[in-house]
């Protein structure tokens, strides 16, 4: 995938999208991001985390449609020439490994907290 557009928030519900749909955002406690792929097809994702690593920001997204076993999509957040946020693939292997390690560390820490609360 290449550069993705981050849609402007809807004035009605504050979530990121620009199309009609049937689900009720008031019932969901999540931020929805719509990405447009290279063919112009829109895909909705839940923004679950923004990681800051080495002064760069990364969006961790999970697809709204699909299996619960789907893996997270992690994209770098950049600003384009119009001063709008865009999501871009991470192509550098070292950068990718650093971001994945940070995400896995965060997930492990949250799992530890959940286990502590269960005791």
């Amino acid at each position: 995938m290449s550069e993705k557009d981050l849609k402007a928030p809807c004035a009605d519900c504050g979530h990121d999208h620009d199309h009609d749909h049937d689900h009720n955002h008031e019932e969901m406690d999540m931020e929805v991001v719509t990405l447009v792929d290279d063919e112009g097809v829109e895909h909705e994702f839940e923004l679950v985390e923004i990681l800051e690593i080495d002064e760069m920001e990364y969006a961790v997204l999970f697809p709204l449609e699909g299996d619960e076993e789907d893996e997270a999509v992690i994209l770098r957040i950049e600003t384009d020439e119009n001063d709008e946020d865009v999501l871009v693939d991470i192509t550098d292997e070292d950068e990718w490994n650093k971001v994945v390690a940070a995400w896995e560390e965060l997930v492990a820490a949250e799992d530890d907290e959940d286990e502590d609360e269960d005791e």
Side-chain angles (χ1 to χ4, degrees), residues 1-34:
M1 287 185 186
S2 62
E3 190 173 290
K4 312 288 187 296
D5 291 325
L6 190 60
K7 298 293 183 175
C10 172
D12 294 328
C13 64
H15 293 106
D16 296 326
H17 60 83
D18 69 347
H19 63 281
D20 295 326
H21 51 331
D22 294 330
H23 54 266
N24 184 350
H25 288 290
E26 292 175 11
E27 294 176 10
M28 296 185 288
D29 186 25
M30 69 177 74
E31 184 169 351
V32 176
V33 175
T34 299

Side-chain angles (χ1 to χ4, degrees), residues 3-4 6 56-57 75-80 83-89 95:
E3 190 173 290
K4 312 288 187 296
L6 190 60
M56 297 290 294
E57 288 188 330
L75 300 168
R76 184 174 52 244
I77 302 171
E78 294 184 358
T79 304
D80 68 9
D83 206 30
E84 294 184 22
D85 287 339
V86 291
L87 300 176
V88 206
D89 285 329
E95 178 185 13

Side-chain angles (χ1 to χ4, degrees), residues 15-77:
H15 293 106
D16 296 326
H17 60 83
D18 69 347
H19 63 281
D20 295 326
H21 51 331
D22 294 330
H23 54 266
N24 184 350
H25 288 290
E26 292 175 11
E27 294 176 10
M28 296 185 288
D29 186 25
M30 69 177 74
E31 184 169 351
V32 176
V33 175
T34 299
L35 301 181
V36 180
D37 66 20
D38 294 334
E39 288 82 38
V41 178
E42 294 182 349
H43 303 274
E44 287 190 327
F45 293 82
E46 175 185 2
L47 175 64
V48 294
E49 191 71 44
I50 294 180
L51 302 173
E52 187 171 331
I53 303 164
D54 295 337
E55 299 181 19
M56 297 290 294
E57 288 188 330
Y58 300 89
V60 180
L61 309 166
F62 281 100
L64 287 182
E65 295 182 13
D67 297 331
E68 289 203 14
E69 295 180 13
D70 284 344
E71 293 185 10
V73 175
I74 303 175
L75 300 168
R76 184 174 52 244
I77 302 171

Side-chain angles (χ1 to χ4, degrees), residues 54 58 90-101:
D54 295 337
Y58 300 89
I90 303 168
T91 56
D92 180 77
E93 187 174 345
D94 290 335
E95 178 185 13
W96 173 255
N97 291 335
K98 191 181 297 188
V99 173
V100 169

